[in-house]
Amino acid sequence: MRWFWIDRFTEFVSGSHARGYKNVTLAEEALDEYCPGFPMLPPTLIIEGMAQMGGILVSEHFQFDKHVVLAKVGKAKFHKPARNGDQLSLAVDLDAVQDTGATVTCLSHTGDELQAEIDLMFAFLEDGRFTDGPLFNPGMLRDMLRMMNFFHVAVDPDGNPVQEYTNI
Amino acid sequence: MGLSQDEIFEKVQEALVEALGVDDDEVNREATLVGDLGAESIDFLDIVFKLEKSFDINIERTELAPEDILTNGDYVKDGVVTAEGMAELKRRMPWANMSEFEQNPRVQDFGNLLTVGDLCSYVGSKVGSDA
């Protein structure tokens, strides 16, 4: 199983927000194993998708120079299950940034209906703490972002395309 | 115009309830953040975010967590804060009640020093308090 819980970025403004989709499909193993007979995307994996989108938003804000890890799920409210055939519209907004961490607020909608509300906090690992090097192999994160159309839509606060980062 | 002590306490209480998942009545002024309310190191970052937003203030990392003092060989000998170190801590954190810690100032005990009341005093020093 590939650990991608976002399918596509549709909007990304550096230091501000990210938008994208997660399509829910019965082809995913996690769907029918979580609650047999009632296929649904496990809520924890929706949190993981938000954490991926939020983590990229925070990491890009620091030019991917920090080791950004999910530290805390502050709030997670699920208003309805994400069923096969649903398309989750994900919206992540950068809430606050410190030199040691950041918070984001996340919403998931199916159509016009609010599906989930999630607040996340990220921390930055100090060099040598838990890991000595980068969290991804060279090129791995860049390839992942390309597949998700990140570089098609990502712009800086002035509306200019973000740089093709060479450190990811 | 500053906030009243009660207004500060209520907002601090709300931040701690949200950050630590504790009940309102557990958050009293005497409660220690670590020992009584179960705060872990990562929770302090969360608390800082919530206080900054709630009070519209900026909190520098070293103001609440003076790690630079507690890891400085000039201020700590054999795991115990020296007299110079205590003076530096008091200068940095005049809002914290260190009377108990000062009796046996082991660095390992510093983490359990701060109380809810200390946190209210700290916020009061940042926003101004009417009391």
Side-chain angles (χ1 to χ4, degrees), chain B residues 71-120:
Chain B
T71 55
N72 186 330
D74 294 338
Y75 296 137
V76 176
K77 295 282 186 251
D78 300 324
V80 177
V81 180
T82 63
E84 291 78 15
M86 278 306 305
E88 189 61 18
L89 284 174
K90 288 180 180 176
R91 189 193 62 75
R92 176 83 62 83
M93 306 169 74
W95 40 268
N97 180 358
M98 298 208 191
S99 54
E100 195 172 327
F101 175 73
E102 198 169 10
Q103 291 171 20
N104 187 13
R106 297 188 305 170
V107 171
Q108 67 186 73
D109 296 333
F110 187 84
N112 197 31
L113 170 75
L114 293 184
T115 64
V116 175
D118 290 333
L119 207 52
C120 291

Side-chain angles (χ1 to χ4, degrees), chain A residues 58-120:
Chain A
V58 173
S59 296
E60 197 280 335
H61 183 59
F62 290 95
Q63 290 76 51
F64 295 101
D65 281 337
K66 289 186 181 290
H67 292 150
V68 177
V69 294
L70 177 64
K72 200 168 178 179
V73 179
K75 178 178 85 173
K77 284 187 181 175
F78 293 90
H79 300 280
K80 55 180 291 202
R83 304 296 308 274
N84 42 305
D86 282 342
Q87 182 178 63
L88 307 183
S89 296
L90 309 178
V92 178
D93 289 275
L94 192 59
D95 179 42
V97 178
Q98 268 251 356
D99 59 355
T100 51
T103 56
V104 298
T105 58
C106 318
L107 296 177
S108 166
H109 283 84
T110 52
D112 293 333
E113 285 188 85
L114 182 62
Q115 191 268 326
E117 300 170 87
I118 297 163
D119 292 347
L120 302 174

Side-chain angles (χ1 to χ4, degrees), chain A residues 71-72 74 95-103 105 121-124 126 129, chain B residues 18-20 41-43 45-50 52-53 58-61 67:
Chain A
K72 200 168 178 179
D95 179 42
V97 178
Q98 268 251 356
D99 59 355
T100 51
T103 56
T105 58
M121 188 180 84
F122 297 91
F124 308 145
E126 295 163 1
R129 189 109 183 245
Chain B
E18 282 185 18
L20 303 177
S41 58
I42 203 69
D43 293 320
L45 183 57
D46 196 10
I47 292 167
V48 164
F49 277 125
K50 286 181 165 47
E52 284 188 332
K53 185 182 282 188
N58 182 40
I59 299 174
E60 296 295 329
R61 179 182 183 177
E67 291 167 16

